[in-house]
Amino acid sequence: RKEVEQDPGPFNVPEGATVAFNCTYSNSASQSFFWYRQDCRKEPKLLMSVYSSGNEDGRFTAQLNRASQYISLLIRDSKLSDSATYLCVGSNDYKLSFGAGTTVTVRA
Amino acid sequence: EAGVVQSPRYKIIEKKQPVAFWCNPISGHNTLYWYLQNLGQGPELLIRYENEEAVDDSQLPKDRFSAERLKGVDSTLKIQPAELGDSAVYLCASSLDRGLWNEQFFGPGTRLTVL
């Protein structure tokens, strides 16, 4: 079983819509969490860190639920440029474990 | 500021041949990572360096893979001999140090095809 599991999608949403998806992690000792974004045939780039209290960065909101061991990402007012694969990441002892990614496609 | 540089960007070789990848991290970044990414999967850590010391190489297939970071800056990853299943994207990343919340910056990767 992978340490981080994600629904691969794809999530096809119209511009302006809200889209949300989760990932689950199996290692309860994981200490820090992130969402990375990866465009097709490009390298991953940090989207946001996920703190215990939850955090928001513009149209993006991340939540962490340690009791249920899941992390969520919500994108409001989707833009065409949000189309990408979103990688959920957990870190334990400085080792990052990546999920396989959730693909989001925003259509005009 | 220059990002993580990797070369070559693409490599096609026949099985059983050797291949090497090179990575130059962001200046001042002490921690360097090599990842392997298969299609439709997330990156998987192969090895992590703190300066010139390999501190986590538990996922590196040591029978055919080797890596070095001699002066604590550039790094090379080698496969000898390559197998068909090694076809993947090899990503190098660096971070300032090993802080829990430090961002990892990835290079563009080397796309390896083994025929």
Side-chain angles (χ1 to χ4, degrees), chain B residues 33-46:
Chain B
Y33 313 77
W34 282 103
Y35 289 90
L36 176 156
Q37 186 173 24
N38 286 304
L39 188 65
Q41 300 297 316
E44 299 173 29
L45 181 69
L46 290 172

Side-chain angles (χ1 to χ4, degrees), chain A residues 26-70:
Chain A
S26 59
N27 189 344
S28 59
S30 295
Q31 299 150 307
S32 51
F33 303 91
F34 310 88
W35 284 102
Y36 275 71
R37 169 192 170 129
Q38 187 169 28
D39 293 311
C40 188
R41 299 180 75 86
K42 298 287 189 179
E43 70 272 22
K45 293 183 179 179
L46 180 66
L47 177 67
M48 59 196 303
S49 303
V50 186
Y51 303 116
S52 295
S53 55
N55 47 299
E56 188 174 308
D57 183 1
R59 298 181 293 106
F60 298 83
T61 300
Q63 295 281 348
L64 167 64
N65 185 316
R66 282 196 179 272
S68 301
Q69 295 187 201
Y70 76 82

